[in-house]
Amino acid sequence: MTGLAGPLARGGLAGSVPRAVDRVTSAALGPYQTAVVRIGLSATWLFFLLRELPHRHELYGPDGPWSLGLARQLLAQNGAFSVLAWWPGRAWFELVYALALLSGALLLLGWRTRTMSVLFMVGVVSLQNRSVFMGDGGDNVLHLMSVYLVLTRCGQVWSLDARRARSGRGRPDRVGPALWAVLGCGLVAATSVGRLDGDLLVPVLLWAVWLAQGVWWVAGRAKGPDGRAGGGELRALLDVVTHLVHNGALAVIMAEACLIYATAGWYKVQGSRWQDGTAVYYPLQLRYFSPWPDLSDLLSASGTMVMLITYGTVIAQVAFPFTLFNRRVKNVLLAVMMTEHAVIAVVLGLPFFSLAMIAADAVFLPTPFLRWLGGRVTRVVGRLPGRRAGPEASGTAVEASVPAAREDGAGRGGHTAPEEADRAPDQRT
Protein backbone atom coordinates (compact mmCIF):
# COMPACT_ATOMS: atom_id res chain seq x y z
CA MET A 1 0.00 0.00 0.00
CA THR A 2 2.11 2.96 1.12
CA GLY A 3 5.13 1.05 2.28
CA LEU A 4 4.59 1.43 6.03
CA ALA A 5 4.13 -2.28 6.69
CA GLY A 6 7.80 -3.04 6.06
CA PRO A 7 9.21 -0.87 8.87
CA LEU A 8 6.56 -2.15 11.28
CA ALA A 9 7.49 -5.75 10.52
CA ARG A 10 11.28 -5.30 10.66
CA GLY A 11 11.55 -3.57 14.02
CA GLY A 12 9.77 -2.92 17.25
CA LEU A 13 7.17 -0.25 17.79
CA ALA A 14 9.69 2.18 19.25
CA GLY A 15 11.82 2.04 16.12
CA SER A 16 9.04 1.73 13.57
CA VAL A 17 7.10 4.84 14.59
CA PRO A 18 9.97 7.26 13.87
CA ARG A 19 10.62 5.49 10.57
CA ALA A 20 6.96 5.73 9.63
CA VAL A 21 6.83 9.43 10.53
CA ASP A 22 9.96 10.06 8.49
CA ARG A 23 8.43 8.17 5.58
CA VAL A 24 5.25 10.21 5.39
CA THR A 25 6.99 13.55 5.94
CA SER A 26 10.01 13.11 3.67
CA ALA A 27 8.29 12.18 0.40
CA ALA A 28 4.98 12.18 -1.45
CA LEU A 29 4.15 8.47 -1.55
CA GLY A 30 2.47 6.61 -4.37
CA PRO A 31 3.48 8.88 -7.29
CA TYR A 32 2.39 6.32 -9.90
CA GLN A 33 -0.88 5.57 -8.13
CA THR A 34 -1.91 9.22 -7.87
CA ALA A 35 -0.89 9.76 -11.50
CA VAL A 36 -3.05 6.92 -12.77
CA VAL A 37 -5.98 8.11 -10.65
CA ARG A 38 -5.53 11.59 -12.14
CA ILE A 39 -5.49 10.23 -15.66
CA GLY A 40 -8.46 7.93 -15.07
CA LEU A 41 -10.71 10.51 -13.42
CA SER A 42 -9.93 13.28 -15.91
CA ALA A 43 -10.40 10.91 -18.86
CA THR A 44 -13.76 9.75 -17.49
CA TRP A 45 -14.97 13.32 -17.03
CA LEU A 46 -13.65 14.44 -20.41
CA PHE A 47 -15.27 11.54 -22.25
CA PHE A 48 -18.56 12.17 -20.45
CA LEU A 49 -18.60 15.85 -21.37
CA LEU A 50 -17.77 15.06 -25.00
CA ARG A 51 -20.41 12.31 -25.11
CA GLU A 52 -23.09 14.66 -23.77
CA LEU A 53 -21.97 17.67 -25.79
CA PRO A 54 -25.08 17.59 -28.06
CA HIS A 55 -27.33 17.27 -24.98
CA ARG A 56 -25.50 19.65 -22.62
CA HIS A 57 -28.26 22.28 -22.63
CA GLU A 58 -30.89 19.74 -21.56
CA LEU A 59 -28.68 18.16 -18.90
CA TYR A 60 -27.08 21.15 -17.22
CA GLY A 61 -28.05 24.22 -19.24
CA PRO A 62 -30.97 26.59 -19.62
CA ASP A 63 -33.10 24.10 -21.61
CA GLY A 64 -33.17 21.42 -18.92
CA PRO A 65 -36.27 20.39 -16.97
CA TRP A 66 -34.41 21.26 -13.77
CA SER A 67 -34.48 25.02 -14.22
CA LEU A 68 -31.95 27.48 -12.85
CA GLY A 69 -34.56 28.75 -10.39
CA LEU A 70 -35.08 25.27 -8.93
CA ALA A 71 -31.33 24.73 -8.81
CA ARG A 72 -30.81 27.98 -6.93
CA GLN A 73 -33.49 27.04 -4.40
CA LEU A 74 -31.82 23.71 -3.74
CA LEU A 75 -28.36 25.28 -3.54
CA ALA A 76 -29.68 27.81 -1.03
CA GLN A 77 -31.01 24.98 1.12
CA ASN A 78 -28.04 22.63 1.08
CA GLY A 79 -25.28 25.24 0.70
CA ALA A 80 -23.70 23.43 -2.26
CA PHE A 81 -21.35 25.17 -4.68
CA SER A 82 -21.95 25.80 -8.38
CA VAL A 83 -20.60 28.63 -10.51
CA LEU A 84 -23.46 27.99 -12.97
CA ALA A 85 -25.83 29.56 -10.42
CA TRP A 86 -23.90 32.83 -10.45
CA TRP A 87 -25.38 34.20 -13.68
CA PRO A 88 -28.20 33.07 -15.97
CA GLY A 89 -27.91 32.86 -19.71
CA ARG A 90 -26.53 30.60 -22.38
CA ALA A 91 -23.20 32.41 -22.75
CA TRP A 92 -22.16 31.82 -19.12
CA PHE A 93 -23.15 28.17 -19.34
CA GLU A 94 -21.14 27.66 -22.53
CA LEU A 95 -18.10 29.29 -20.93
CA VAL A 96 -18.27 27.07 -17.84
CA TYR A 97 -18.79 23.94 -19.94
CA ALA A 98 -15.84 24.85 -22.18
CA LEU A 99 -13.61 25.48 -19.14
CA ALA A 100 -14.67 22.11 -17.69
CA LEU A 101 -13.66 20.43 -20.95
CA LEU A 102 -10.37 22.32 -21.11
CA SER A 103 -9.39 21.66 -17.49
CA GLY A 104 -10.19 17.97 -17.90
CA ALA A 105 -8.02 17.69 -20.99
CA LEU A 106 -5.10 19.60 -19.44
CA LEU A 107 -5.29 17.61 -16.22
CA LEU A 108 -5.22 14.43 -18.29
CA LEU A 109 -2.01 15.63 -19.94
CA GLY A 110 -0.58 16.78 -16.63
CA TRP A 111 -0.09 20.44 -17.52
CA ARG A 112 0.05 22.65 -14.41
CA THR A 113 -1.58 19.88 -12.47
CA ARG A 114 -2.03 21.83 -9.24
CA THR A 115 -3.97 24.59 -10.99
CA MET A 116 -5.83 22.24 -13.33
CA SER A 117 -6.86 19.96 -10.47
CA VAL A 118 -8.56 22.93 -8.79
CA LEU A 119 -10.31 23.99 -12.01
CA PHE A 120 -11.23 20.35 -12.64
CA MET A 121 -12.86 20.16 -9.21
CA VAL A 122 -14.75 23.42 -9.81
CA GLY A 123 -16.05 22.11 -13.14
CA VAL A 124 -17.15 18.76 -11.73
CA VAL A 125 -18.82 20.22 -8.65
CA SER A 126 -20.49 23.06 -10.56
CA LEU A 127 -22.07 20.93 -13.29
CA GLN A 128 -23.16 18.15 -10.97
CA ASN A 129 -24.66 20.50 -8.39
CA ARG A 130 -26.49 22.36 -11.15
CA SER A 131 -28.54 19.23 -11.98
CA VAL A 132 -28.31 16.80 -9.10
CA PHE A 133 -30.61 14.22 -10.71
CA MET A 134 -28.30 13.59 -13.67
CA GLY A 135 -26.02 10.71 -12.80
CA ASP A 136 -25.62 6.96 -12.44
CA GLY A 137 -23.51 6.61 -9.30
CA GLY A 138 -20.24 7.36 -11.03
CA ASP A 139 -20.96 11.07 -10.59
CA ASN A 140 -20.70 10.64 -6.81
CA VAL A 141 -17.30 8.99 -7.16
CA LEU A 142 -16.08 11.77 -9.46
CA HIS A 143 -17.46 14.40 -7.10
CA LEU A 144 -15.57 13.08 -4.09
CA MET A 145 -12.36 12.13 -5.85
CA SER A 146 -12.08 15.50 -7.59
CA VAL A 147 -11.91 17.18 -4.17
CA TYR A 148 -9.32 14.72 -2.86
CA LEU A 149 -7.24 15.05 -6.02
CA VAL A 150 -6.66 18.75 -5.31
CA LEU A 151 -4.70 17.80 -2.20
CA THR A 152 -2.39 15.33 -3.94
CA ARG A 153 0.77 15.82 -5.97
CA CYS A 154 -0.63 13.91 -8.90
CA GLY A 155 1.82 15.25 -11.50
CA GLN A 156 5.05 13.73 -10.25
CA VAL A 157 5.17 11.22 -13.11
CA TRP A 158 3.39 10.73 -16.44
CA SER A 159 2.73 14.43 -16.91
CA LEU A 160 3.91 17.45 -18.84
CA ASP A 161 4.91 18.95 -15.50
CA ALA A 162 7.34 16.09 -14.86
CA ARG A 163 8.73 16.38 -18.38
CA ARG A 164 9.20 20.12 -18.04
CA ALA A 165 10.89 19.72 -14.65
CA ARG A 166 13.25 17.15 -16.14
CA SER A 167 14.22 19.14 -19.22
CA GLY A 168 13.85 22.77 -18.20
CA ARG A 169 15.36 23.03 -14.76
CA GLY A 170 16.88 26.44 -14.19
CA ARG A 171 14.66 28.27 -16.67
CA PRO A 172 12.48 31.04 -15.24
CA ASP A 173 8.81 30.09 -15.12
CA ARG A 174 6.47 32.86 -16.24
CA VAL A 175 3.33 30.85 -16.94
CA GLY A 176 2.86 29.66 -13.35
CA PRO A 177 2.92 33.11 -11.73
CA ALA A 178 0.70 34.49 -14.53
CA LEU A 179 -1.91 31.77 -13.92
CA TRP A 180 -1.70 32.41 -10.20
CA ALA A 181 -2.28 36.16 -10.67
CA VAL A 182 -5.21 35.73 -13.08
CA LEU A 183 -6.98 33.15 -10.94
CA GLY A 184 -6.31 35.24 -7.84
CA CYS A 185 -8.05 38.22 -9.45
CA GLY A 186 -11.02 36.01 -10.29
CA LEU A 187 -11.13 34.66 -6.74
CA VAL A 188 -11.03 38.15 -5.23
CA ALA A 189 -13.78 39.33 -7.58
CA ALA A 190 -16.03 36.36 -6.82
CA THR A 191 -15.54 36.80 -3.08
CA SER A 192 -16.14 40.56 -3.13
CA VAL A 193 -19.52 40.26 -4.87
CA GLY A 194 -20.69 37.47 -2.57
CA ARG A 195 -20.57 34.62 -5.06
CA LEU A 196 -18.74 32.36 -2.60
CA ASP A 197 -21.32 32.66 0.16
CA GLY A 198 -22.85 29.46 1.46
CA ASP A 199 -20.99 26.32 2.44
CA LEU A 200 -17.38 27.20 3.25
CA LEU A 201 -15.69 23.99 2.07
CA VAL A 202 -15.04 24.94 -1.56
CA PRO A 203 -14.27 28.67 -0.95
CA VAL A 204 -11.85 27.85 1.88
CA LEU A 205 -10.19 25.17 -0.26
CA LEU A 206 -9.83 27.58 -3.19
CA TRP A 207 -8.30 30.31 -1.06
CA ALA A 208 -6.04 27.89 0.81
CA VAL A 209 -4.63 26.40 -2.40
CA TRP A 210 -4.15 29.83 -3.97
CA LEU A 211 -2.33 31.24 -0.93
CA ALA A 212 -0.25 28.08 -0.55
CA GLN A 213 0.88 28.34 -4.16
CA GLY A 214 1.99 31.92 -3.58
CA VAL A 215 3.94 31.03 -0.46
CA TRP A 216 5.46 28.06 -2.28
CA TRP A 217 6.67 30.30 -5.10
CA VAL A 218 8.23 32.77 -2.66
CA ALA A 219 9.93 29.96 -0.76
CA GLY A 220 11.26 28.55 -4.02
CA ARG A 221 12.96 31.83 -4.87
CA ALA A 222 14.46 32.37 -1.41
CA LYS A 223 18.13 31.40 -1.15
CA GLY A 224 19.34 28.98 1.48
CA PRO A 225 22.65 28.97 3.41
CA ASP A 226 24.39 27.40 0.42
CA GLY A 227 23.27 30.23 -1.87
CA ARG A 228 20.92 28.05 -3.92
CA ALA A 229 17.31 29.08 -4.53
CA GLY A 230 14.73 26.95 -2.75
CA GLY A 231 17.07 25.77 -0.03
CA GLY A 232 15.77 27.76 2.94
CA GLU A 233 14.01 26.58 6.07
CA LEU A 234 10.63 27.83 4.82
CA ARG A 235 10.91 25.62 1.76
CA ALA A 236 11.86 22.62 3.90
CA LEU A 237 8.84 23.25 6.13
CA LEU A 238 6.55 23.56 3.11
CA ASP A 239 7.94 20.29 1.74
CA VAL A 240 7.00 18.51 4.97
CA VAL A 241 3.50 20.01 5.00
CA THR A 242 2.98 19.19 1.32
CA HIS A 243 4.06 15.58 1.86
CA LEU A 244 1.74 15.22 4.83
CA VAL A 245 -1.23 16.66 2.92
CA HIS A 246 -0.53 14.49 -0.12
CA ASN A 247 -0.11 11.30 1.90
CA GLY A 248 -3.19 12.07 3.96
CA ALA A 249 -5.26 12.62 0.81
CA LEU A 250 -3.89 9.40 -0.67
CA ALA A 251 -4.98 7.52 2.45
CA VAL A 252 -8.43 9.12 2.23
CA ILE A 253 -8.78 8.03 -1.42
CA MET A 254 -7.94 4.46 -0.39
CA ALA A 255 -10.35 4.59 2.54
CA GLU A 256 -13.10 6.01 0.32
CA ALA A 257 -12.72 3.18 -2.19
CA CYS A 258 -12.84 0.61 0.61
CA LEU A 259 -15.88 2.31 2.13
CA ILE A 260 -17.74 2.23 -1.19
CA TYR A 261 -17.22 -1.49 -1.55
CA ALA A 262 -17.85 -2.31 2.11
CA THR A 263 -21.14 -0.41 2.31
CA ALA A 264 -22.31 -1.77 -1.05
CA GLY A 265 -21.46 -5.33 -0.04
CA TRP A 266 -23.04 -5.24 3.40
CA TYR A 267 -26.21 -3.59 2.09
CA LYS A 268 -26.46 -6.34 -0.52
CA VAL A 269 -26.11 -9.00 2.18
CA GLN A 270 -29.32 -7.70 3.77
CA GLY A 271 -31.35 -7.93 0.56
CA SER A 272 -33.50 -11.00 -0.01
CA ARG A 273 -32.74 -11.14 -3.76
CA TRP A 274 -29.02 -11.13 -3.04
CA GLN A 275 -29.48 -13.80 -0.42
CA ASP A 276 -31.32 -16.17 -2.77
CA GLY A 277 -28.85 -15.51 -5.61
CA THR A 278 -31.24 -13.90 -8.14
CA ALA A 279 -30.49 -10.16 -7.81
CA VAL A 280 -28.42 -9.93 -11.01
CA TYR A 281 -31.30 -11.35 -13.07
CA TYR A 282 -33.65 -8.38 -12.65
CA PRO A 283 -31.58 -5.49 -14.05
CA LEU A 284 -30.80 -7.67 -17.08
CA GLN A 285 -34.53 -7.64 -17.85
CA LEU A 286 -34.82 -3.84 -17.84
CA ARG A 287 -34.66 -2.18 -21.24
CA TYR A 288 -32.80 0.81 -19.78
CA PHE A 289 -29.96 -1.47 -18.65
CA SER A 290 -29.92 -3.66 -21.77
CA PRO A 291 -27.98 -1.97 -24.58
CA TRP A 292 -27.27 -5.48 -25.93
CA PRO A 293 -30.52 -7.44 -25.38
CA ASP A 294 -29.14 -10.68 -26.83
CA LEU A 295 -26.19 -10.59 -24.44
CA SER A 296 -28.46 -9.85 -21.48
CA ASP A 297 -30.75 -12.75 -22.46
CA LEU A 298 -27.76 -15.06 -22.78
CA LEU A 299 -26.53 -14.25 -19.27
CA SER A 300 -29.94 -14.37 -17.62
CA ALA A 301 -30.89 -17.66 -19.32
CA SER A 302 -28.53 -19.60 -17.05
CA GLY A 303 -29.65 -19.79 -13.45
CA THR A 304 -26.25 -21.07 -12.40
CA MET A 305 -24.49 -18.13 -14.04
CA VAL A 306 -26.84 -15.64 -12.38
CA MET A 307 -26.29 -17.25 -8.98
CA LEU A 308 -22.50 -17.30 -9.34
CA ILE A 309 -22.36 -13.65 -10.42
CA THR A 310 -24.73 -12.59 -7.62
CA TYR A 311 -22.85 -14.34 -4.83
CA GLY A 312 -19.48 -13.55 -6.34
CA THR A 313 -20.28 -9.83 -6.39
CA VAL A 314 -21.27 -9.79 -2.73
CA ILE A 315 -18.26 -11.83 -1.63
CA ALA A 316 -15.81 -9.66 -3.59
CA GLN A 317 -17.21 -6.38 -2.29
CA VAL A 318 -17.35 -7.47 1.34
CA ALA A 319 -13.90 -9.08 1.24
CA PHE A 320 -12.02 -6.39 -0.67
CA PRO A 321 -11.10 -4.11 2.30
CA PHE A 322 -9.73 -7.10 4.22
CA THR A 323 -7.55 -8.27 1.32
CA LEU A 324 -5.42 -5.12 1.60
CA PHE A 325 -3.43 -6.89 4.32
CA ASN A 326 -2.19 -9.44 1.79
CA ARG A 327 -0.63 -8.06 -1.37
CA ARG A 328 -1.12 -11.12 -3.58
CA VAL A 329 -4.75 -11.69 -2.61
CA LYS A 330 -5.44 -7.97 -3.00
CA ASN A 331 -4.00 -7.89 -6.51
CA VAL A 332 -6.07 -10.90 -7.59
CA LEU A 333 -9.31 -9.48 -6.18
CA LEU A 334 -8.49 -6.06 -7.63
CA ALA A 335 -8.27 -7.61 -11.09
CA VAL A 336 -11.62 -9.30 -10.46
CA MET A 337 -13.25 -6.01 -9.41
CA MET A 338 -11.91 -4.13 -12.42
CA THR A 339 -13.09 -6.90 -14.72
CA GLU A 340 -16.51 -6.76 -13.09
CA HIS A 341 -16.76 -3.03 -13.75
CA ALA A 342 -15.71 -3.55 -17.36
CA VAL A 343 -18.51 -6.12 -17.73
CA ILE A 344 -20.99 -3.69 -16.14
CA ALA A 345 -19.94 -1.03 -18.64
CA VAL A 346 -20.73 -3.34 -21.58
CA VAL A 347 -23.66 -5.43 -20.36
CA LEU A 348 -25.58 -2.79 -18.38
CA GLY A 349 -24.55 0.21 -20.47
CA LEU A 350 -22.92 2.17 -17.62
CA PRO A 351 -19.51 3.07 -19.07
CA PHE A 352 -18.86 6.23 -17.09
CA PHE A 353 -19.81 4.69 -13.76
CA SER A 354 -17.45 1.81 -14.52
CA LEU A 355 -14.63 4.09 -15.64
CA ALA A 356 -14.95 6.18 -12.47
CA MET A 357 -14.79 3.08 -10.27
CA ILE A 358 -11.85 1.62 -12.20
CA ALA A 359 -10.02 4.94 -11.80
CA ALA A 360 -10.65 4.86 -8.05
CA ASP A 361 -9.56 1.21 -7.85
CA ALA A 362 -6.32 2.09 -9.64
CA VAL A 363 -4.97 3.62 -6.43
CA PHE A 364 -4.34 0.04 -5.24
CA LEU A 365 -2.41 -1.09 -8.32
CA PRO A 366 1.17 -2.24 -7.57
CA THR A 367 3.97 0.11 -8.55
CA PRO A 368 5.97 -2.49 -10.54
CA PHE A 369 2.94 -3.12 -12.74
CA LEU A 370 2.35 0.60 -13.27
CA ARG A 371 5.99 1.19 -14.18
CA TRP A 372 5.87 -1.76 -16.57
CA LEU A 373 2.67 -0.38 -18.09
CA GLY A 374 4.24 3.06 -18.44
CA GLY A 375 7.24 1.55 -20.19
CA ARG A 376 5.01 -0.34 -22.63
CA VAL A 377 3.05 2.80 -23.46
CA THR A 378 6.30 4.68 -23.94
CA ARG A 379 7.57 2.12 -26.44
CA VAL A 380 4.28 2.10 -28.34
CA VAL A 381 4.20 5.90 -28.54
CA GLY A 382 7.85 5.94 -29.58
CA ARG A 383 7.03 3.76 -32.61
CA LEU A 384 4.39 6.16 -33.92
CA PRO A 385 5.20 7.92 -37.21
CA GLY A 386 7.03 11.16 -36.65
CA ARG A 387 8.29 10.18 -33.22
CA ARG A 388 12.03 9.85 -32.79
CA ALA A 389 13.48 7.18 -30.60
CA GLY A 390 14.88 8.03 -27.21
CA PRO A 391 13.66 9.45 -23.91
CA GLU A 392 11.82 12.35 -25.49
CA ALA A 393 9.69 10.08 -27.68
CA SER A 394 7.25 9.42 -24.90
CA GLY A 395 4.49 11.73 -26.04
CA THR A 396 2.84 14.40 -23.98
CA ALA A 397 0.80 12.52 -21.41
CA VAL A 398 3.34 9.83 -20.62
CA GLU A 399 6.70 10.44 -19.01
CA ALA A 400 9.30 8.69 -21.11
CA SER A 401 11.88 7.66 -18.57
CA VAL A 402 10.54 7.50 -15.06
CA PRO A 403 13.58 7.76 -12.80
CA ALA A 404 14.63 4.55 -11.19
CA ALA A 405 13.43 4.71 -7.60
CA ARG A 406 14.93 3.41 -4.39
CA GLU A 407 13.45 2.94 -0.96
CA ASP A 408 15.28 6.04 0.29
CA GLY A 409 14.23 8.38 -2.54
CA ALA A 410 13.70 8.76 -6.23
CA GLY A 411 13.72 11.08 -9.19
CA ARG A 412 12.20 14.45 -9.78
CA GLY A 413 8.71 15.30 -10.95
CA GLY A 414 5.61 17.25 -10.06
CA HIS A 415 4.64 20.89 -9.94
CA THR A 416 6.98 23.66 -11.02
CA ALA A 417 7.02 27.28 -9.96
CA PRO A 418 4.72 27.64 -8.29
CA GLU A 419 4.18 23.90 -9.04
CA GLU A 420 7.78 22.89 -8.38
CA ALA A 421 9.19 19.38 -8.57
CA ASP A 422 10.18 17.37 -5.56
CA ARG A 423 11.48 13.95 -4.62
CA ALA A 424 9.14 10.99 -4.35
CA PRO A 425 10.08 7.37 -3.65
CA ASP A 426 8.85 4.40 -5.58
CA GLN A 427 6.27 2.53 -3.55
CA ARG A 428 5.20 -1.07 -3.76
CA THR A 429 1.50 -1.63 -3.32
Side-chain angles (χ1 to χ4, degrees):
M1 304 227 305
T2 58
L4 298 181
L8 290 173
R10 289 192 295 268
L13 183 61
S16 61
V17 171
R19 286 195 294 270
V21 172
D22 179 70
R23 190 128 175 105
V24 299
T25 57
S26 61
L29 305 177
Y32 295 89
Q33 285 76 14
T34 50
V36 76
V37 170
R38 182 202 85 227
I39 293 171
L41 292 177
S42 57
T44 301
W45 181 241
L46 182 61
F47 294 157
F48 173 77
L49 294 181
L50 291 175
R51 167 63 179 83
E52 301 299 343
L53 190 63
H55 317 291
R56 63 189 185 279
H57 297 126
E58 290 76 17
L59 290 176
Y60 303 110
D63 299 336
W66 187 252
S67 66
L68 181 60
L70 292 174
R72 283 176 169 172
Q73 292 181 34
L74 182 60
L75 293 174
Q77 293 176 9
N78 59 23
F81 174 84
S82 177
V83 298
L84 286 174
W86 290 1
W87 289 287
R90 192 176 300 268
W92 177 244
F93 167 76
E94 296 289 0
L95 177 61
V96 173
Y97 200 92
L99 289 177
L101 275 169
L102 181 62
S103 62
L106 293 178
L107 185 63
L108 174 65
L109 297 175
W111 186 81
R112 305 288 170 177
T113 48
R114 182 67 71 197
T115 301
M116 289 306 123
S117 64
V118 175
L119 296 179
F120 174 79
M121 177 200 69
V122 171
V124 170
V125 171
S126 296
L127 287 171
Q128 291 185 353
N129 287 341
R130 168 62 177 83
S131 298
V132 294
F133 300 109
M134 302 298 175
D136 53 14
D139 56 319
N140 293 327
V141 178
L142 272 173
H143 197 113
L144 293 171
M145 295 299 175
S146 66
V147 178
Y148 304 150
L149 202 63
V150 173
L151 304 176
T152 65
R153 303 190 66 178
C154 54
Q156 298 178 91
V157 296
W158 298 345
S159 67
L160 290 176
D161 286 349
R163 184 174 182 178
R164 184 178 64 253
R166 189 175 64 248
S167 61
R169 194 170 299 278
R171 299 177 184 175
D173 180 25
R174 296 181 177 87
V175 178
L179 276 174
W180 183 82
V182 171
L183 295 176
C185 291
L187 196 57
V188 170
T191 304
S192 62
V193 298
R195 298 299 183 183
L196 296 181
D197 295 343
D199 187 76
L200 295 178
L201 174 61
V202 174
V204 169
L205 184 59
L206 293 176
W207 273 109
V209 173
W210 184 78
L211 291 173
Q213 288 297 99
V215 174
W216 184 277
W217 183 77
V218 172
R221 292 176 63 87
K223 293 184 178 180
D226 56 358
R228 293 189 302 110
E233 294 183 359
L234 178 59
R235 173 58 188 272
L237 175 62
L238 290 177
D239 283 341
V240 172
V241 174
T242 302
H243 296 152
L244 282 173
V245 172
H246 166 93
N247 295 328
L250 183 61
V252 171
I253 291 175
M254 292 179 174
E256 186 68 43
C258 291
L259 186 62
I260 291 173
Y261 284 124
T263 53
W266 286 109
Y267 270 113
K268 287 180 175 66
V269 167
Q270 303 174 50
S272 59
R273 294 294 176 261
W274 292 96
Q275 293 174 5
D276 61 26
T278 62
V280 172
Y281 173 83
Y282 298 100
L284 293 175
Q285 306 307 308
L286 299 176
R287 184 181 300 273
Y288 182 79
F289 292 111
S290 300
W292 313 99
D294 293 338
L295 181 59
S296 299
D297 293 340
L298 179 64
L299 291 175
S300 60
S302 172
T304 302
M305 179 65 70
V306 170
M307 182 187 67
L308 289 176
I309 295 175
T310 301
Y311 287 148
T313 299
V314 175
I315 292 172
Q317 291 183 345
V318 171
F320 181 75
F322 301 100
T323 64
L324 300 182
F325 298 101
N326 187 293
R327 181 182 303 165
R328 292 184 177 86
V329 177
K330 180 264 296 182
N331 290 339
V332 171
L333 194 57
L334 184 61
V336 172
M337 302 297 290
M338 288 185 167
T339 303
E340 178 187 19
H341 287 302
V343 172
I344 290 174
V346 176
V347 176
L348 298 182
L350 297 172
F352 300 110
F353 164 76
S354 298
L355 285 174
M357 287 305 304
I358 290 173
D361 292 343
V363 73
F364 298 105
L365 288 173
T367 299
F369 170 75
L370 291 175
R371 295 187 65 186
W372 172 85
L373 182 63
R376 298 287 295 181
V377 173
T378 297
R379 286 191 287 272
V380 170
V381 173
R383 296 192 187 103
L384 295 178
R387 303 296 301 182
R388 58 188 178 87
E392 295 303 322
S394 60
T396 55
V398 179
E399 183 183 359
S401 61
V402 178
R406 307 184 303 275
E407 284 297 319
D408 59 343
R412 299 271 181 177
H415 311 295
T416 58
E419 296 136 338
E420 193 167 298
D422 198 6
R423 291 188 178 273
D426 177 21
Q427 297 299 319
R428 295 182 63 86
T429 303

